[in-house]
């Protein structure tokens, strides 16, 4: 199989080993141990550039792409994406502190979340976070009071539910009316929130935000969302006399986990959305606002590979073969949570056909601890290095210490050269918080 069709940072070298950005995965496993998250810096940078280019082509550089850091939040990744010119989206005090520790300019941080605590809002205000995306009326009032107490006027935007179904996995669909996120458009809730925000003397309403789902392959929902949101933009201008500066259309662009995944080039979303933005603005008599998008998964997913050592192979006649790896749901819970697809292979025989079918099982103490079921790979042997592709997003960031397993290290590869960006947890780390 041609693994570069899943991610162009992958290759197979003369030894038949899988490579990431030119680095031999067998050498990486040997040098840094397994399980190991590997991330191609070249691929992340390339993706950031592809996301920024259309802003110049379509909007004369107005607006930007914001990295949704929940996909993979650590200092070095934030440094990389910010050095490419992206802003950063955060959803917790922890993500704010990570971004600040990485040196991200507070003004370039966008703070999301459906139940930001008073402590988190206070932190955001005290650190001068540039854009607080208000989710609900309680939060609007809370923020108003906190701003008044401090004598400041923070910039806010409103999270809107535009009522768009992005045809994706039910757990990760967030744009429709039955969602815990944001102000509903069709009930009038969004307009009421805008009215309150505009009348507040302690808050400055600067934008609107929506996010319609994740791992979305269609262009249509994004186009529709842009039109619907610009309609609200215009309504706020005509009815409340408030012209905001930006419209954030969220993230959600799909990536390849399997060869057959029909992920569209990001540019094609951007082309279609930009057409819709220009048309709608002309129809509505609006100057084009700054457009933001907020991709997370698509910035990092395909840049990532996880490497494991095969510790055991258990064949149950007429049932299936389990390949047991030294990771599992503690470092990648996505199959257990969402039955997510992945491509698996034996990294040390990547040049051989994937003509064996097996189930990849983790080492946690429960039957549902699987990474992929009935999946093709090269015939495995004990001691092989098994690789799982497209693990850059929502793997490390959703990892836990379940069964007191230490979380793996992460190495970033640039021009074939690896460096540790997150060190492997030790047993001492696990015991650090216990009293
Ligand atoms: N903006 C907001 C407000 C979001 O809620 C999200 C994702 C994003 C941006 C980035 O979306 P992306 O481009 O990554 O699709 N844990 C799940 C994904 C949950 C996504 C939640 N929100 C998974 O592993 O598939």
């Amino acid at each position: 199989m041609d693994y570069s069709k899943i991610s162009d940072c992958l290759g197979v070298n003369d030894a038949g080993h899988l490579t990431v950005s030119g680095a031999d995965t067998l050498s990486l496993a040997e040098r840094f141990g397994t399980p190991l998250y590997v991330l191609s810096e070249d691929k992340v940078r390339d993706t950031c550039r592809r996301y920024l280019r259309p802003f110049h082509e379509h909007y004369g550089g107005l607006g930007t792409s914001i990295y949704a850091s929940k996909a993979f939040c650590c200092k070095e990744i934030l440094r990389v994406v910010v050095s490419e010119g992206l802003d950063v989206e955060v959803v917790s005090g922890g993500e704010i502190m990570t971004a600040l520790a990485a040196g991200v300019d507070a003004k370039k941080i966008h703070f999301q979340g459906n139940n930001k605590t008073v402590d988190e809002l206070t932190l955001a205000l005290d650190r001068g976070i540039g854009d607080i995306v208000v989710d609900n009326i309680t939060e609007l009032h809370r923020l108003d009071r906190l701003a008044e107490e401090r004598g400041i006027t923070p910039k806010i935007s409103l999270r809107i539910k535009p009522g768009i179904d992005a045809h994706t996995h039910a757990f990760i669909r967030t744009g429709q009316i039955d969602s815990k996120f944001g102000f509903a458009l069709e009930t009038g809730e969004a307009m009421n929130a805008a009215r309150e925000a505009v009348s507040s003397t302690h808050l400055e309403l600067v934008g609107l935000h929506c996010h319609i789902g994740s791992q979305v392959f269609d262009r249509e929902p994004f186009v529709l969302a842009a039109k619907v949101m610009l309609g609200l933009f215009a309504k706020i201008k005509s009815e409340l006399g408030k012209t905001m500066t930006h419209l954030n259309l969220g993230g959600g662009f799909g990536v390849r986990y399997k060869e057959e995944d029909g992920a569209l080039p990001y540019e094609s979303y951007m082309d279609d959305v930009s057409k819709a933005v220009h048309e709608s603005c002309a129809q509505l008599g609006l100057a084009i606002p700054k457009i933001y998008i907020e991709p997370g998964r698509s910035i990092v997913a395909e840049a990532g590979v996880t490497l494991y050592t095969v510790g055991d192979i258990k064949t149950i006649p007429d049932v299936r073969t389990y390949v047991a790896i030294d990771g599992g749901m503690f470092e990648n819970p996505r199959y257990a949570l969402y039955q997510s697809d992945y491509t698996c292979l034996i990294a040390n025989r990547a040049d051989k056909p994937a003509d064996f079918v097996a189930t990849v099982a983790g080492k946690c103490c429960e039957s549902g601890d699987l990474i992929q079921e009935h999946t093709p790979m090269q015939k495995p042997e004990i001691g092989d290095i098994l690789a799982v592709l497209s693990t850059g997003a929502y793997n490390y960031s959703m990892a836990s210490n379940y069964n007191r397993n230490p979380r793996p290290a992460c190495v970033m590869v640039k021009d074939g050269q690896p460096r540790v960006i997150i060190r492997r947890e030790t047993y001492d780390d696990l015991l650090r918080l216990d009293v």
Side-chain angles (χ1 to χ4, degrees), residues 18 70 176 188 196 407:
L18 179 74
K70 72 201 79 183
Q176 81 284 35
E196 281 209 36
R407 276 173 293 195

Side-chain angles (χ1 to χ4, degrees), residues 68 70-71 89 112 159 172 209 211 213-215 250-253 294-298 334 338 394 398:
K70 72 201 79 183
E89 182 243 17
Q112 299 274 353
R159 165 99 187 225
I172 49 179
H209 171 275
H211 172 75
S214 200
Q215 186 61 357
F253 312 104
E294 206 167 57
R297 185 192 312 269
S298 50
R334 295 191 68 257
Y338 319 116
Y394 303 112
M398 292 174 73

Side-chain angles (χ1 to χ4, degrees), residues 276-292:
V277 167
H278 281 88
E279 276 169 23
S280 291
C281 286
Q283 274 164 14
L284 296 163
L286 281 178
I288 295 175
K290 278 193 220 162
I291 300 293
Y292 296 154

Side-chain angles (χ1 to χ4, degrees), residues 134 137 140-141 144 153-154 156-158 183 189-208 236 240 242 244:
V134 176
I137 208 73
L140 191 76
H141 295 158
D144 192 57
T153 313
I156 64 157
S157 38
L158 299 178
F183 297 98
E189 195 185 18
M191 207 50 204
N192 287 340
R195 194 167 291 115
E196 281 209 36
V198 168
S199 63
S200 163
T201 48
H202 312 293
L203 302 172
E204 187 188 353
L205 179 64
V206 292
L208 297 178
I236 291 173
L240 306 178
K242 177 74 193 175
M244 293 165 288

Side-chain angles (χ1 to χ4, degrees), residues 344-398:
C344 305
L345 70 137
I346 299 300
N348 42 303
R349 280 191 296 288
D351 56 340
K352 299 287 183 295
D355 53 6
F356 190 83
V357 171
T359 289
V360 179
K363 66 192 287 295
C364 292
C365 209
E366 64 179 81
S367 307
D369 173 26
L370 304 173
I371 296 291
Q372 203 62 193
E373 290 183 269
H374 310 295
T375 192
M377 66 179 72
Q378 294 74 11
K379 193 167 189 318
E381 287 172 20
I382 289 167
D384 277 344
I385 297 300
L386 187 142
V388 179
L389 307 183
S390 303
T391 55
Y394 303 112
N395 277 227
Y396 175 79
S397 64
M398 292 174 73

Side-chain angles (χ1 to χ4, degrees), residues 51 66-71 89-91 112-113 133 159 169 171-174 181 209-216 222 248-255 257 293-300 332-334 337-338 340 342 393-395 397-398:
Y51 266 127
I66 302 167
Y67 172 56
S69 71
K70 72 201 79 183
E89 182 243 17
V90 298
V91 291
Q112 299 274 353
V133 187
R159 165 99 187 225
H169 192 297
F171 289 172
I172 49 179
R173 188 190 299 154
T174 50
F181 297 104
H209 171 275
C210 71
H211 172 75
I212 57 169
S214 200
Q215 186 61 357
V216 180
F222 293 106
N248 182 339
L249 294 169
F253 312 104
V255 304
Y257 289 100
I293 56 165
E294 206 167 57
R297 185 192 312 269
S298 50
I299 302 280
V300 283
N332 180 2
R334 295 191 68 257
L337 269 176
Y338 319 116
S340 310
Y342 281 109
Y394 303 112
N395 277 227
S397 64
M398 292 174 73

